């Protein structure tokens, strides 16, 4: 057993990266899980690119950029193609620690052990 960093990646627009189709071309979506070295933005971006390519993205993802947003803890990445604007981000990621055992993953949740007075 080991503790790993796991990334849940919602790929929302596979097939829409620069140079691959246009506004009316077909795209697909999927959710995949992948291990990452750490939870840094650049590391997660690299994991997203690899997952997108493994799931059928044929366009160049060099322009994939982190879109900082405040709130739910989701890391967003987006890429826009030329004159086409997509209202849905390319990928949404949730990064969390997991216990890996025998090829299976179990979500871990930190237990806060600080004292509270009532």
């Amino acid at each position: 057993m080991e503790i790993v960093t796991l990334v849940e990646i919602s790929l929302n627009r596979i097939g829409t990266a620069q140079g691959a189709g246009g506004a009316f071309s077909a795209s697909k979506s999927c959710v995949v899980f992948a291990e990452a070295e750490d939870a840094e933005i650049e590391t997660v971006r690299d994991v997203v690119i690899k997952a997108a390519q493994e799931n059928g993205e044929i366009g160049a993802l060099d322009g994939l950029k982190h879109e900082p947003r405040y709130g739910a803890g989701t890391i967003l990445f987006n890429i826009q193609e030329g004159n086409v604007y997509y209202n849905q981000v390319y990928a949404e990621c949730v990064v969390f620690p997991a216990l890996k055992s025998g090829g299976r993953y179990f979500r871990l949740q930190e237990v806060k052990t600080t004292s509270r007075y009532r």
Side-chain angles (χ1 to χ4, degrees), residues 8-59:
E8 178 181 355
I9 308 166
S10 296
L11 295 165
N12 299 317
R13 301 185 347 242
I14 297 172
T16 63
Q18 292 177 332
F24 302 106
S25 62
S27 66
K28 68 177 188 172
S29 62
C30 67
V31 175
V32 297
F33 290 84
E35 285 186 40
E37 292 286 323
D38 54 51
E40 297 295 320
I41 298 298
E42 283 303 310
T43 305
V44 175
R45 179 184 177 275
D46 292 343
V47 170
V48 167
I49 290 171
K50 183 178 179 192
Q53 291 169 338
E54 288 174 351
N55 285 280
E57 182 59 71
I58 57 172

Side-chain angles (χ1 to χ4, degrees), residues 28-115:
K28 68 177 188 172
S29 62
C30 67
V31 175
V32 297
F33 290 84
E35 285 186 40
E37 292 286 323
D38 54 51
E40 297 295 320
I41 298 298
E42 283 303 310
T43 305
V44 175
R45 179 184 177 275
D46 292 343
V47 170
V48 167
I49 290 171
K50 183 178 179 192
Q53 291 169 338
E54 288 174 351
N55 285 280
E57 182 59 71
I58 57 172
L61 290 168
D62 297 337
L64 188 68
K65 292 185 171 73
H66 172 242
E67 282 197 1
R69 294 201 186 153
Y70 300 100
T74 302
I75 301 172
L76 305 176
F77 293 96
N78 207 4
I79 188 168
Q80 298 294 343
E81 178 190 346
N83 297 330
V84 179
Y85 175 78
Y86 297 95
N87 61 1
Q88 185 177 38
V89 295
Y90 187 85
E92 301 173 52
C93 304
V94 178
V95 181
F96 56 91
L99 181 66
K100 181 179 179 180
S101 177
R104 296 173 60 198
Y105 296 97
F106 302 89
R107 188 181 294 258
L108 295 175
Q109 184 174 4
E110 181 181 2
V111 176
K112 302 290 182 182
T113 59
T114 57
S115 298

